[in-house]
Structure formats: structure tokens, C-alpha cells
Amino acid sequence: MKVSFLGAGAIGSMFAALLKQHAPDLDVLVVVRGAHGEAISHSGEIEIVGPWGNRPVPIAWSFDPADVAGSDFVFVTVKSQATREALQQAGSALGDAVVVSIQNGINDGQYTGFVPLERLVMGMTATNMAVLEPGQVSMQLDGHTMFGPPIGSTSTVAAQKVVDLMGRIQVPGLDFSVHPNILGVRYNKLVINALGYASCLSGSNFITEALCYTPWREGVGRPIVAECRRVLAAGGVEIPRIQGRSDLTKVENLMRVLGTPILGKLVQMAIRGKFERSPIVFSLLQDLRRGKPTEVDHINGQIVRVAAMAGTEAPVNAEIVKITHELEHRSGERLTTREDVIDRIINITKLTSS
Ligand SMILES: NC(=O)c1ccc[n+]([C@@H]2O[C@H](COP(=O)([O-])OP(=O)(O)OC[C@H]3O[C@@H](n4cnc5c(N)ncnc54)[C@H](OP(=O)(O)O)[C@@H]3O)[C@@H](O)[C@H]2O)c1
């Protein structure tokens, strides 16, 4: 059986290498590019770093998306904005493969014309992976990865096949399951990202310098989440709870507790050390620092689009998109200050409530 990963960066390389390591009978191919791709092409390996230590995994690689030809499964793990281009490059080589998106953003529509609904599976991973250096990827955080049907389908047949495949990866803390409302699950994660992205604009540690900092939490964090909740309710999106730590309700509860006088201080003291040592790093921050286009149009921008479709507005998320684009177009230092973000969102909130 052939399994390909189209656009193997952090997520694609880690899942591909784990799959090859735990199911050596599979033909696993990574379609790569850039410095990371060059490193893999030279060594013929991906080095994976995690609780298992550092492990080089020999892997088949290609620079040509058309080499996915003959695959039973094609995992698409490019950033959302690169989806259509990657699918176009793979073109007819996608053949009859089950195509699986493991991406942030609600980009089901980008697959239209490339994959029929019954062979398209949408995924959400709560894990966190990073390319440490070209050829080397690290599992920063374990967690659940869920799969389900795309918008327009209710069938979980293809998703179950993906879970059966990925279930061959036997790593404690990594698990794979089917969720019938994967769209709601993806929106749950999207709202957490919309919140996290706002902290990246100033390079602030999401937990200790953003959520734990009252002016940010009250001025930026809570308005973003409240707006997302309002817009998604208006758009008829039901958000299920997610097992594990990456769940919107858990984040909202944390913000609520942090706002209470005595308990809030105690919780801050309890979590500060852990998150100072191991900060949660959103890809938007890495992309801004590297001068690469970010996924903001697919995260906060998605809330703006849902608002427009539901006949309402999302000014707070629109402002986060605007600030991000300003920073993307800056040369040199691409971050702003935490106070600047707070001021701009408070101004927007005042304007829209007056
Ligand atoms: N990393 C995480 O922990 C994590 C967690 C949850 C969800 N996600 C989501 O998963 C998706 C992938 O994230 P990631 O962090 O793995 O991104 P990434 O490290 O940037 O990996 C994407 C890779 O695809 C390559 N690529 C883009 N277009 C291509 C093409 N046409 N052909 C071949 N390769 C192509 C990119 O090359 P270039 O760099 O040259 O563009 C990059 O190497 C995103 O939607 C992200 O939001 C990531």
C-alpha cells in the first residue's frame, strides 16, 4: 500500500516518518521542497525527535507532487493557502486515492474539482510539531488527531480507513479517531488559533504574557472568543467539546478563572513555570519571524467570512487580520508591541459598541 504526504513540513514529515517506522511494510513517500526537502534528499532520512529520543527514519522522497501517483492515501499537509497550488501540481496523479487534509482552516472548498466528496477526509490534529532544522522534526506536544467527512457529506467510511491506517502508529499520547462532526471540531481548534494568533503579533507567550496578563485577556482575548462564538452561532456552526487539552471551553474556563481575584493568582502561579519553560508556539509567529505568508486569512479571516455569510460582522477578527498583514509587509522587525495590539482591539470594540 502506498501512502503519500503532499507538502511534508512539520506535520507531514512527522506523521510520515512515524507511519514508516511503525508500519514498515507500507510504501511511504514524502513530497518535499525547500531547505527541509534538500536535507531529506541528501540523507534519505527524516530525523524525528520526541519522547523516544532522536531517531533517523529512512524514507522515500520526491520534489515532484505528481509522484503521488498510485497512492492509496494522499495526506495534504501544506499550509491552507498553498492547498490549491499543491493539488493542481499533483493533478491527475491523485488518481483514486483517499485524500486527507491535516490542516488548520476550513478549506474544504479548495478540494472541489480535485477529489470527490466520498474520497475526501478532513482532519484536525491537536498535536504540535516543528521543523527544528532542515531534515529534523520534533513532536513538541502529543495529542488527538481526528478525522471526518468534508462539508456536504456525512459518511465516515473513508475517515475510518484513515484511522485504521494511522492507528498503526503506536506512540503513547498519540491517538487517532473518527468524529462525525469534524467541522465543529475544526472550528473549535480554529477559535483557539484565532486567539493564539493575536498573541503572536507581539511575540507574547500565549499563556504567561497574554492569557495571564489581565489587560490582554480582557481587552483582546475575551473579545476575540466572544466574537467567534457569536459569529459561529449566527452561522449555525455547532462546536463540540474536544477530549484532551486543546478544547475551546477549557480555554474559556481558564480565562474565567484567571480573572478571579484569589484563585486567579494561584492558578497563574501554578501554570507560569510550566509554560515559561515550554511555551505554546503558534505557526503564525514562526511565519512572521521568517518573513513567510501566514495562515491568518484562513483562521481569523475565516471568522470574518462566516460573519459576512451570516449577515453580521466580525470587526475584532478583521482587525487581527489587518494587523497581521501590516506586519507581513514590514521589512526587518515584523512584530508589534503587546500594548499596541491591546489599544487597537479596544478601539475597535469601542467603535463597534458606540
Ligand atoms: N505544525 C503543527 O504543529 C500543526 C498543528 C496543527 C495543525 N497544523 C496545520 O497543518 C498544516 C501544515 O502545517 P506545518 O506546520 O506542517 O507547515 P509547514 O511546516 O510549513 O509544512 C508545509 C510544507 O509544505 C511545503 N509545500 C508548500 N507547497 C508545496 C507544494 N506545492 N509542493 C510541495 N511542498 C509544498 C512547504 O514548503 P515551503 O516552506 O517552501 O512553503 C512546507 O515544507 C497547516 O495548515 C497548519 O496550520 C500544524
Side-chain angles (χ1 to χ4, degrees), residues 5-13 15 31-37 62-65 76-87 89-90 101-105 107 123-131 137-138 140-141 189 193 197 281 283 286-287 290 292-293 295 298-299:
F5 288 78
L6 180 54
I11 285 286
S13 299
F15 281 137
V31 178
V32 287
R33 73 178 192 187
H36 182 58
S62 170
F63 290 121
D64 184 359
V76 179
T77 53
V78 297
K79 291 269 169 61
S80 269
Q81 65 270 19
T83 308
R84 245 188 132 70
E85 186 192 308
L87 292 172
Q89 288 166 349
S101 158
I102 307 187
Q103 298 169 289
N104 285 328
N107 50 10
M124 185 292 294
T125 186
T127 64
N128 189 252
M129 313 295 183
V131 176
V137 285
S138 154
Q140 317 281 95
L141 212 58
K189 172 92 186 297
N193 277 327
Y197 277 18
V281 180
S283 64
Q286 291 169 342
D287 289 339
R290 290 174 188 160
K292 290 173 76 172
E295 267 184 321
H298 296 270
I299 306 299

Side-chain angles (χ1 to χ4, degrees), residues 4 9 20 25-26 77 90 100 134 149 162 166-167 193 202 211 221 252 254 322:
S4 298
K20 184 65 194 170
D25 56 300
L26 297 175
T77 53
V100 190
V162 177
M166 296 302 276
N193 277 327
S202 52
L211 295 190
E252 287 172 304
L254 176 63
K322 192 170 162 207

Side-chain angles (χ1 to χ4, degrees), residues 287-333:
D287 289 339
L288 277 179
R289 288 204 161 123
R290 290 174 188 160
K292 290 173 76 172
T294 71
E295 267 184 321
V296 73
D297 287 333
H298 296 270
I299 306 299
N300 305 77
Q302 176 66 16
I303 299 295
V304 178
R305 275 190 295 281
V306 175
M309 283 186 287
T312 179
E313 290 185 341
V316 174
N317 280 281
E319 189 68 5
I320 298 296
V321 173
K322 192 170 162 207
I323 302 173
T324 309
H325 287 318
E326 286 168 14
L327 298 177
E328 283 174 334
H329 294 120
R330 258 196 205 178
S331 53
E333 174 58 55

Side-chain angles (χ1 to χ4, degrees), residues 55-123:
R55 190 161 301 162
V57 179
I59 200 123
W61 55 270
S62 170
F63 290 121
D64 184 359
D67 281 340
V68 302
S71 296
D72 299 280
F73 294 88
V74 175
F75 285 79
V76 179
T77 53
V78 297
K79 291 269 169 61
S80 269
Q81 65 270 19
T83 308
R84 245 188 132 70
E85 186 192 308
L87 292 172
Q88 265 155 5
Q89 288 166 349
S92 58
L94 291 171
D96 292 335
V98 170
V99 175
V100 190
S101 158
I102 307 187
Q103 298 169 289
N104 285 328
I106 310 299
N107 50 10
D108 312 38
Q110 297 196 51
Y111 288 82
T112 307
F114 294 102
V115 194
L117 284 184
E118 65 273 16
R119 278 199 270 110
L120 180 58
V121 174
M122 307 309 289

